[in-house]
Amino acid sequence: MRRRVSAAPASVLVSILVAVLLTACSPPTEVRQAPVGESPFVYVKNTDIITEWDPARSYSNEIIAFQNVYETLTLWNPVTKKSAPRLATGWRSTADGRSWTFTLRSGVTFHTGNPLDAEAVKASIERTMRARTGASYLWDAVSSIRVDGPLTVTFALKYPVPLDLVASAGYAAYIYDTKAAPDLGKWFAQGRDAGSGPYTVAKWNKGKEDELTLKAYDGYWGGWNERPHYNTVKYRVVPDPERAYRMLRRGEASFVDRLDPKLFAQAGAAPGVRTSDRPSFTTAMMLFNTAAGPMKDIRVRKAVQQAIDYRGIVKALKGSVMPASGVVPEGLLGHVPGRVPEQDLESATRLLQDAGYGPGGEPLRLRLTYGEGEADEELLAKRLRAALRPLNVTLKVEGMHWNAQWERGKKRGQDIFVMYWWPDYADGYSYFGQVFRAANPPVFNLTYLNDHRLDAMLDTVPELTVTDKPAAQRVYEQATKRVLDERAAAALPWVVKSRRAFLGGIQGYDDNPAYPDVVFVYNLKPSG
């Protein structure tokens, strides 16, 4: 029997949301030990889970686990497209948007046993701000944090930003116990956590297939006695999508976050399996090395842009992706419609010949890296290699584990770096500010752009997002033209559709595009 998760009517979703928010704002029920004896929730991913244990520095795949271990002040709600309560039960801002006060939930404790109060919030965010890495830029507007009471904290800002939205970010907004250890860096590096979420770290096997195991935190403020919950969460690294799907069919996996079109079609017809197919905020990016090698020449970069068979690739991926238009995907401020790219091999040939390459010119060799196990990225690389071959260009393609690929990228060890990008919070800024703004070391600016004109544009966006959204949109349009046309620093072949498969008995799963690939396991009712 075919079973597919489809979008519920808006009225139903709103009713569910109201019920959830009323529950979230109610006093915690009596806490008891999480139920034991049921099977664990097993999340199968095709890449490494943990790249960084410190919640102040975390900025990659570990979001899928961290959102179950740590909590933020607010949570972005995809139905209302606004922030909803999480650790904060309410908040208010002054008319000029330069002061924000949050009221915290009472009775919350960290996994260390220490209370999560206003002092803890202040200490946590101030430490993250001092880290000056990852997504800590989110707090750049904050000039000071003041404790007004045990459960009240006020942020004074240098310029207006939507702080309730910032506080919902998937990175750098986690509240954690800064008193967990004298040397927090060392503490986290050992695979420990200092969160307040429903789950805490039980075991970390770095580099192994069974990389991470979480267990229920008995003192979780939400309680465990309202309904059945998963007591254990396991994250397994399985690059082979065929094997991941077989694990799901055998019941060895509960959830698989990415399936190629063939496997997704099989999952949709498989008994005992459900699927989810939703638009996402995740964009495939091909980042060109603008600083070194043959692609330092803008003519070569533009030639590669125009050699990509955008339409053919989207068609070949059979509904798992959508064409990208501009840099920011549809649904977020900064999206630019009418910019879907097209292949133009004649133009690509002329550009290569102008640069001294192409048919009849010097042979050109380029190196492309992508994430091992990413079938869509592999198809993109193979199609591009085939398109470039008649143009006297040899493309060396290398699939790599994410951590190794990222380390090479930070050392400028490739010509084309293929990766997925999603926003730090539900806004378009991080697509530009983190990927194309000058950075040394580069972190995620793997085009190595150092464009003062672009940076000046981007510096105006956070405040304009609050004070003048039409002006912010105009800046995004100018920045899009600067990155894709004037600098030809990247190509964006598609936006992902989130296609998941999970055991049919699991209830309560919903996809939130602001938290890509995250399953909020506490919200699930176990299968079986």
Side-chain angles (χ1 to χ4, degrees):
M1 177 180 180
R2 186 171 182 171
R3 303 181 66 184
R4 180 179 297 275
V5 177
S6 58
S11 59
V12 175
L13 292 172
V14 170
S15 298
I16 293 171
L17 172 63
V18 170
V20 169
L21 293 183
L22 286 174
T23 301
C25 295
S26 301
T29 55
E30 179 184 354
V31 174
R32 69 169 178 85
Q33 185 172 348
V36 296
E38 82 277 1
S39 299
F41 181 84
V42 181
Y43 185 127
V44 172
K45 191 167 181 60
N46 59 349
T47 59
D48 301 322
I49 307 301
I50 302 295
T51 66
E52 172 60 65
W53 272 109
D54 190 332
R57 305 173 65 87
S58 164
Y59 205 30
S60 192
N61 296 337
E62 59 272 3
I63 184 176
I64 66 173
F66 274 25
Q67 285 291 332
N68 290 286
V69 172
Y70 293 95
E71 295 175 298
T72 48
L73 293 175
T74 61
L75 191 74
W76 191 74
N77 187 286
V79 179
T80 63
K81 300 189 184 302
K82 294 179 180 180
S83 299
R86 201 175 191 185
L87 288 175
T89 57
W91 52 91
R92 64 183 185 277
S93 67
T94 55
D96 62 4
R98 291 176 183 262
S99 178
W100 290 74
T101 298
F102 292 82
T103 301
L104 306 180
R105 190 178 301 278
S106 63
V108 180
T109 59
F110 291 111
H111 301 157
T112 60
N114 293 328
L116 193 159
D117 55 16
E119 290 284 359
V121 170
K122 180 178 187 294
S124 175
I125 294 176
E126 286 180 342
R127 180 179 178 274
T128 297
M129 291 169 63
R130 290 194 300 271
R132 305 302 302 168
T133 189
S136 62
Y137 77 92
L138 293 173
W139 303 104
D140 282 353
V142 175
S143 59
S144 65
I145 304 174
R146 185 180 72 242
V147 172
D148 293 332
L151 297 176
T152 307
V153 61
T154 295
F155 296 77
L157 308 185
K158 292 173 280 189
Y159 50 86
V161 297
L163 205 67
D164 61 325
L165 192 58
V166 169
S168 73
Y171 303 98
Y174 300 120
I175 305 304
Y176 52 93
D177 186 5
T178 59
K179 298 179 180 179
D183 186 340
L184 272 180
K186 183 177 180 180
W187 166 275
F188 290 131
Q190 294 172 346
R192 294 171 172 170
D193 78 85
S196 65
Y199 298 93
T200 185
V201 176
K203 185 187 298 183
W204 178 43
N205 298 315
K206 182 178 181 181
K208 303 295 185 182
E209 179 177 305
D210 57 337
E211 183 177 347
L212 182 64
T213 301
L214 308 180
K215 63 181 180 180
Y217 169 52
D218 294 346
Y220 183 56
W221 59 264
W224 295 95
N225 62 347
E226 286 294 309
R227 55 177 174 77
H229 292 274
Y230 282 103
N231 185 51
T232 305
V233 186
K234 294 180 178 289
Y235 295 90
R236 296 183 64 174
V237 181
V238 181
D240 180 1
E242 295 273 359
R243 180 169 170 244
Y245 180 62
R246 290 196 300 270
M247 291 172 64
L248 181 69
R249 291 300 313 275
R250 292 195 297 260
E252 297 170 8
S254 309
F255 180 92
V256 179
D257 75 326
R258 295 291 303 280
L259 290 174
D260 63 31
K262 181 188 73 173
L263 292 174
F264 186 77
Q266 291 179 19
V273 175
R274 300 173 71 189
T275 57
S276 174
D277 187 359
R278 304 283 180 87
S280 81
F281 294 155
T282 300
T283 300
M285 289 189 167
M286 304 176 69
L287 305 178
F288 301 154
N289 189 335
T290 65
M295 295 197 76
K296 188 175 181 180
D297 188 329
I298 191 172
R299 294 170 295 186
V300 176
R301 300 200 298 271
K302 286 188 173 183
V304 173
Q305 272 186 333
Q306 296 185 20
I308 300 165
D309 182 12
Y310 301 94
R311 186 176 296 182
I313 290 168
V314 169
K315 183 178 180 180
L317 292 177
K318 299 179 181 178
S320 63
V321 303
M322 304 173 290
S325 179
V327 174
V328 179
E330 187 174 1
L332 295 174
L333 182 67
H335 174 66
V336 182
R339 283 200 54 109
V340 175
E342 295 281 349
Q343 185 183 47
D344 187 343
L345 291 175
E346 290 185 7
S347 178
T349 301
R350 288 194 300 269
L351 286 161
L352 287 171
Q353 289 174 333
D354 287 346
Y357 304 108
E362 290 291 323
L364 175 61
R365 291 177 174 81
L366 300 174
R367 173 180 287 184
L368 177 151
T369 64
Y370 72 94
E372 183 181 25
E374 294 285 357
D376 295 355
E377 293 182 359
E378 182 180 7
L379 183 144
L380 167 66
K382 289 180 176 179
R383 288 287 186 105
L384 179 58
R385 182 170 58 192
L388 289 174
R389 190 178 296 118
L391 306 185
N392 200 21
V393 179
T394 300
L395 184 67
K396 180 180 179 181
V397 172
E398 188 174 1
M400 305 178 67
H401 281 288
W402 167 249
N403 285 344
Q405 183 194 9
W406 191 21
E407 287 304 314
R408 180 185 292 181
K410 287 185 282 188
K411 297 173 183 175
R412 305 183 182 186
Q414 78 297 313
D415 301 299
I416 305 171
F417 190 106
V418 180
M419 72 174 187
Y420 285 110
W421 188 260
W422 50 84
D424 299 329
Y425 58 96
D427 181 82
Y429 180 78
S430 75
Y431 293 87
F432 287 97
Q434 293 303 95
V435 181
F436 299 112
R437 198 183 190 287
N440 188 22
V443 189
F444 283 107
N445 179 0
L446 302 172
T447 66
Y448 321 112
L449 268 180
N450 188 5
D451 186 331
H452 298 300
R453 178 179 166 190
L454 175 65
D455 293 351
M457 291 182 200
L458 298 177
D459 286 347
T460 68
V461 169
E463 182 170 352
L464 288 175
T465 299
V466 177
T467 61
D468 191 344
K469 277 188 168 60
Q473 178 64 28
R474 290 192 293 271
V475 173
Y476 276 126
E477 291 170 4
Q478 294 165 7
T480 299
K481 182 178 180 181
R482 183 69 175 167
V483 167
L484 297 182
D485 300 340
E486 296 171 7
R487 299 305 305 271
L492 288 84
W494 67 72
V495 175
V496 170
K497 291 184 72 179
S498 295
R499 289 182 151 187
R500 329 291 196 186
F502 52 98
L503 295 179
I506 295 173
Q507 299 178 39
Y509 170 70
D510 197 11
D511 189 272
N512 188 329
Y515 308 96
D517 301 338
V518 171
V519 177
F520 292 92
V521 181
Y522 177 80
N523 296 338
L524 303 180
K525 182 178 179 181
S527 63

